[in-house]
């Protein structure tokens, strides 16, 4: 296994076995945003769900997370299904996660269907952190190659 393969697996494990379950648990239990700085850097670039800006303070990040979780809680959000995902390691300290989120209620009826791109960096003394988030409604497509425009 190459160093980049190992990094991609490390990013995948951190993201899907640590970050995602923690985020879902906090959203469902209405625990607020206090956990988020274990996963997000400040500043963070945010281009998702109506926000397009650098969030340069912890307070700004908290407001975005509270807004997002509040919208989900109002719709009885229960968990997130992941129809497709892609992990890319750029180097030993950086990569990206592209994912389709199908956010659903306990009965599997959908609350929100998004494609999201996360830029991930290993920060000294902090470990992996999300440094940028971009998303869009993906019109119910469940494959990343049907959503993103790609030129080669």
């Amino acid at each position: 296994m190459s160093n980049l393969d190992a990094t991609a697996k490390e990013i995948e494990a951190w993201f899907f076995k640590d970050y995602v379950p923690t985020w879902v648990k906090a959203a469902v239990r209405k625990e607020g945003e206090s956990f988020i700085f274990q996963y997000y850097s400040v500043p963070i670039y945010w281009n998702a769900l109506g926000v397009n800006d650098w969030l340069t303070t912890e307070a700004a990040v908290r407001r975005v997370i509270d807004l997002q979780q509040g919208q989900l809680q109002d719709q009885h959000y229960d968990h997130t299904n992941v129809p497709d995902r892609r992990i890319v390691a750029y180097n030993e300290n950086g990569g990206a996660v592209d994912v389709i989120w199908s956010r659903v209620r306990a009965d599997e009826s959908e609350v929100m269907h998004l494609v999201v791109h996360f830029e991930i960096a290993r920060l000294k003394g902090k470990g992996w952190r999300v440094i940028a988030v971009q998303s869009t409604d993906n019109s119910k497509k469940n494959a990343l190659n049907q959503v993103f425009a790609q030129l080669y």
Side-chain angles (χ1 to χ4, degrees):
M1 181 182 321
S2 77
N3 286 347
L4 288 182
D5 289 337
T7 300
K9 292 214 176 283
E10 190 178 337
I11 291 169
E12 178 182 42
W14 174 81
F15 192 85
F16 289 103
K17 293 182 179 174
D18 188 359
Y19 165 68
V20 172
T22 302
W23 195 100
V24 169
K25 179 180 160 188
V28 170
R29 293 185 180 173
K30 301 178 183 178
E31 293 177 354
E33 78 300 312
S34 61
F35 73 97
I36 204 62
F37 301 108
Q38 298 170 40
Y39 301 98
Y40 286 9
S41 71
V42 175
I44 186 170
Y45 178 69
W46 198 273
N47 183 13
L49 302 171
V51 177
N52 179 9
D53 206 353
W54 281 98
L55 306 179
T56 59
T57 66
E58 288 187 2
V61 174
R62 283 187 184 100
R63 281 192 297 274
V64 166
I65 299 303
D66 281 345
L67 176 66
Q68 187 178 36
Q69 289 184 350
Q71 291 171 349
L72 292 171
Q73 291 160 359
D74 289 348
Q75 297 183 59
H76 308 287
Y77 168 74
D78 183 73
H79 63 280
T80 298
N81 295 325
V82 182
D84 198 9
R85 66 189 191 183
R86 175 177 50 215
I87 294 90
V88 176
Y90 304 135
N91 55 52
E92 291 182 7
N93 294 307
V97 175
D98 295 325
V99 64
I100 293 178
W101 289 151
S102 175
R103 293 178 168 165
V104 297
R105 298 173 186 92
D107 67 2
E108 293 296 317
S109 61
E110 197 164 67
V111 171
M112 189 181 290
H113 200 91
L114 301 169
V115 60
V116 188
H117 172 81
F118 294 88
E119 284 291 322
I120 311 292
R122 185 190 330 252
L123 303 179
K124 286 184 181 181
K126 295 184 178 182
W128 292 109
R129 293 292 188 270
V130 176
I131 61 172
V133 177
Q134 300 197 59
S135 76
T136 189
D137 181 340
N138 73 2
S139 303
K140 309 288 186 209
K141 293 178 181 172
N142 285 320
L144 289 166
N145 66 357
Q146 296 173 342
V147 179
F148 291 133
Q150 301 177 59
L151 301 174
Y152 295 95

